[in-house]
Amino acid sequence: MRKRLEGKSVKTAYLGLLLALAVIFGYIEALIPVPVPIPGIKLGLANLVIAAVLYFYGPFEAMTVTVLRVLIIGFLFGNMFSIVYSMSGAAASLIAMALLKRTRAFGIIGVSALGGVVHNVAQVIAAVLILEGFPWRWYLPVLMLAGLAAGILVGLADRIVLPRIYAEGDY
């Protein structure tokens, strides 16, 4: 029983630290101006942490950290609209990444790239549902390319960092 409790408490502590790191990355990203005239394009630094949680612990833990991260960052630095957009993108992205990871057809770079694309597609869908006359026809392809590029960059960073943190695993 004690061993099990230690395992759970250690896991909870690590997940808390990873959540804090994801929030810090989200804050840092909010401070960095993106030199692109299209709103909504970001690097997705917090996804470095979310992918790590997905690979180290699994989809349930990754979803828990994701939901808490979006809520914390939204309440601290955003508003209800930013929470809705972020939550729709983050949830869809994580589901897609978890499903693709399960197939073992792609490594962390491919999984992260899909996550970046799906994140932006879900946010555009949310915008279409919320905003009347949203220009999704030109916005969607641009955001999909940006999501692909950001996902590849985040995946490359995870490919370098994850084996140094946790030696076991196929990234």
Side-chain angles (χ1 to χ4, degrees):
M1 178 74 159
R2 181 170 168 81
K3 212 173 209 181
R4 228 172 135 195
L5 184 62
E6 284 177 5
K8 284 184 181 182
S9 60
V10 168
K11 178 181 175 182
T12 302
Y14 276 119
L15 289 173
L17 287 171
L18 290 166
L19 171 61
L21 186 59
V23 170
I24 290 168
F25 282 169
Y27 176 66
I28 289 170
E29 190 167 53
L31 294 176
I32 299 171
V34 180
V36 203
I38 299 165
I41 294 180
K42 297 190 316 186
L43 184 55
L45 294 176
N47 293 329
L48 286 163
V49 177
I50 301 305
V53 174
L54 177 63
Y55 273 81
F56 292 159
Y57 293 107
F60 175 76
E61 291 84 354
M63 186 58 80
T64 302
V65 171
T66 295
V67 168
L68 291 173
R69 173 189 62 88
V70 168
L71 290 174
I72 291 169
I73 290 173
F75 285 126
L76 289 176
F77 312 115
N79 54 42
M80 287 309 284
F81 283 114
S82 66
I83 292 173
V84 169
Y85 291 129
S86 294
M87 193 66 76
S88 64
S93 171
L94 184 57
I95 291 167
M97 290 192 310
L99 291 173
L100 187 61
K101 178 186 174 285
R102 249 181 117 167
T103 68
R104 297 184 183 261
F106 293 92
I108 185 73
I109 297 169
V111 169
S112 181
L114 176 70
V117 172
V118 170
H119 182 93
N120 286 344
V121 169
Q123 285 190 327
V124 168
I125 291 170
V128 166
L129 294 173
I130 293 171
L131 302 172
E132 189 177 320
F134 183 75
W136 66 271
R137 284 182 181 85
W138 72 267
Y139 209 69
L140 183 62
V142 172
L143 281 184
M144 287 176 71
L145 287 173
L148 179 64
I152 289 171
L153 290 174
V154 168
L156 286 168
D158 269 330
R159 182 79 171 102
I160 294 167
V161 171
L162 293 184
R164 287 171 171 76
I165 297 172
Y166 189 69
E168 296 177 25
D170 187 20
Y171 310 105

